[in-house]
């Protein structure tokens, strides 16, 4: 599995990478612009991401816009619908327009509210079929 962690907070990126590193090759981006470039490069190199953790509130390009552009890149490469990468939104926002737009308009797969913990991350990955049921929590 290959994962892209997109968050402007160093601690959040490091924490997610620590949890994911036994299961995935992880790359990180500090804003939506960097994420879009990494995502496109991965598609061009025929090594697409299977999983993206995306914060909503970031500088340069925010999470919802980055997600929308990533989904467009997938379409350009002939990847559509369920064949695309799984995108888990991680945000401090509980409910709101940005969360709604990311989930229903942007094509996010799921949402975890920050602060996230290892148990909830692994449970979500198992639920999405990214990890076997016996993966440790």
């Amino acid at each position: 599995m290959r994962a892209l962690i997109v968050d402007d907070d160093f601690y959040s990126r490091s924490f997610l990478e620590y949890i994911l590193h036994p299961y995935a090759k992880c790359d990180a981006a500090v804003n939506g612009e960097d994420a879009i470039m990494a995502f496109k490069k991965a598609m061009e190199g025929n090594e697409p991401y299977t999983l993206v953790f995306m914060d909503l509130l970031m500088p340069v390009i925010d999470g919802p816009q980055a997600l929308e552009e990533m989904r467009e890149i997938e379409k350009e490469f002939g990847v559509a619908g369920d064949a695309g990468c799984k995108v888990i939104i991680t945000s401090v926002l509980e409910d709101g327009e940005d969360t709604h737009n990311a989930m229903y308009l942007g094509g996010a797969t799921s949402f975890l509210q920050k602060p996230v913990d290892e148990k909830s991350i692994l449970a979500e990955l198992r639920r999405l079929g990214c990890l076997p049921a016996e993966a440790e929590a």
Side-chain angles (χ1 to χ4, degrees):
M1 178 168 53
R2 188 164 185 213
L4 177 61
I5 300 165
V6 188
D7 201 308
D8 60 326
D9 179 68
F10 174 79
Y11 172 77
S12 295
R13 285 191 317 273
S14 299
F15 181 69
L16 284 168
E17 187 169 1
Y18 172 77
I19 292 168
L20 295 173
H21 86 273
Y23 313 103
K25 178 182 183 259
C26 298
D27 295 322
V30 298
N31 60 52
E33 183 177 55
D34 290 348
I36 293 163
M37 288 189 301
F39 193 84
K40 187 170 185 175
K41 184 177 178 182
M43 293 294 285
E44 290 170 344
N46 202 29
E47 294 185 80
Y49 291 104
T50 50
L51 179 65
V52 174
F53 276 85
M54 175 81 70
D55 187 21
L56 290 179
L57 303 174
M58 293 181 294
V60 187
I61 295 178
D62 65 13
Q65 184 180 348
L67 175 54
E68 187 177 323
E69 292 189 37
M70 290 170 156
R71 293 302 190 200
E72 285 300 315
I73 291 167
E74 285 181 328
K75 287 179 189 172
E76 290 171 15
F77 281 85
V79 177
D82 291 341
C85 72
K86 306 283 191 232
V87 178
I88 300 173
I89 299 295
T90 56
S91 180
V92 295
L93 300 176
E94 290 182 34
D95 238 346
E97 187 176 344
D98 288 335
T99 305
H100 174 271
N101 290 345
M103 290 299 297
Y104 299 104
L105 303 178
T109 312
S110 64
F111 173 83
L112 293 174
Q113 186 172 354
K114 289 181 179 178
V116 294
D117 60 45
E118 183 172 6
K119 185 177 179 181
S120 63
I121 290 167
L122 295 179
E124 189 65 15
L125 292 177
R126 281 191 296 276
R127 187 185 76 76
L128 295 174
C130 296
L131 290 180
E134 63 274 2
E136 290 185 30

